[in-house]
Amino acid sequence: MEIIIQPTVEEMSKTAARVVARVLNTKPNAVLGLATGSTPLGLYQELVRMHREDGLDFSQVTTFNLDEYVGLKKNHPQSYHYFMHENLFKHINIPKENIHIPMGTTDNYAAFCQWYEQRIVQCGGIDLQVLGIGADGHIAFNEPASSLGSRTRIKTLARQTIDDNARFFSKPEEVPIYAITMGVGTIMEAQKIILLANGTKKAAAVAAAIEGPVTGMITASALQLHRDVMFIVDQEAAADLKMREYYQWIQAKMPDAP
Ligand code: GLP
């Protein structure tokens, strides 16, 4: 695992954007796995800036979002469809037909989940997956006690996730209880993964994911088994890491490494 500790959330976002740009420059038709939440907002802003100012091209890019709330229509302001459109897609040149986000309203969720998995494979698999992390250590909506081999499916949200996300809704009762989410197994098949985290609220989850045991109770800990994963965190989110100085030492020595 590569652990990059940046002084600020802005630097965290810029580092992540550079990783995305590098993938797109090497493979213009890359498949990106994308996340929602407040954490990747700065990354998306930076990608929009790179598109406008440096000509970063998304015309051949395909995307798959991690998750969506069950029951929210695409135009609901708290749906992840709406979030992605407002914060990224409407500002870049990605063809509409290349965008995939789990459908929050469908007659047959099981068939949809199966189709989503097949579609990822048909598109050649995910080249780069962007992740955030929940305060309980979840990735996407893979709540504690998720199977580490899980695939795209419906999950019941944990109380903490519902409470954390209530800030985006006018009333806590409005937060959906179910979500469609890529599984841990789905995420683990991405060629490369970057996980972003900022703020003190994420410090315990980041430490458990990187330095704790691999466990379905902290689904981000499964990333320890991935061969190409980079954690990009700010100082606050890195605060509980026991080996923090070592990671910073590696980072400082990186330019001279053989
Ligand atoms: C939700 C999303 C996750 C995200 C998490 C953290 O649970 N499903 O993908 O990582 O929120 O959100 P935030 O970045 O707002 O802290």
Side-chain angles (χ1 to χ4, degrees), residues 37-39 67 80 132-133 138 140-141 165 167 202:
S38 48
T39 310
D67 45 16
Y80 288 167
I133 186 169
H138 71 222
F141 270 130
N165 292 351
R167 67 189 195 276
K202 300 293 173 67

Side-chain angles (χ1 to χ4, degrees), residues 47-150:
L47 290 177
V48 170
R49 189 201 63 73
M50 287 173 154
H51 170 65
R52 288 192 180 140
E53 293 174 18
D54 312 332
L56 186 64
D57 180 29
F58 292 84
S59 65
Q60 299 176 64
V61 170
T62 297
T63 62
F64 285 90
N65 262 79
L66 287 168
D67 45 16
E68 176 60 288
Y69 289 115
V70 165
L72 296 195
K73 295 210 176 100
K74 284 182 180 179
N75 59 359
H76 189 290
Q78 294 313 328
S79 76
Y80 288 167
H81 275 83
Y82 189 88
F83 174 100
M84 289 308 300
H85 182 72
E86 288 303 306
N87 292 300
L88 183 65
F89 296 144
K90 79 172 187 190
H91 306 287
I92 58 174
N93 65 335
I94 184 166
K96 238 174 148 179
E97 59 276 17
N98 291 10
I99 296 170
H100 304 84
I101 304 177
M103 193 64 83
T105 51
T106 161
D107 294 338
N108 189 338
Y109 286 101
F112 179 82
C113 292
Q114 212 179 345
W115 174 82
Y116 204 68
E117 287 279 333
Q118 284 164 358
R119 186 79 190 127
I120 295 173
V121 175
Q122 264 172 19
C123 293
I126 292 171
D127 293 296
L128 173 66
Q129 176 67 58
V130 177
L131 295 175
I133 186 169
D136 62 4
H138 71 222
I139 46 176
F141 270 130
N142 293 290
E143 298 287 28
S146 288
S147 158
L148 298 184
S150 51

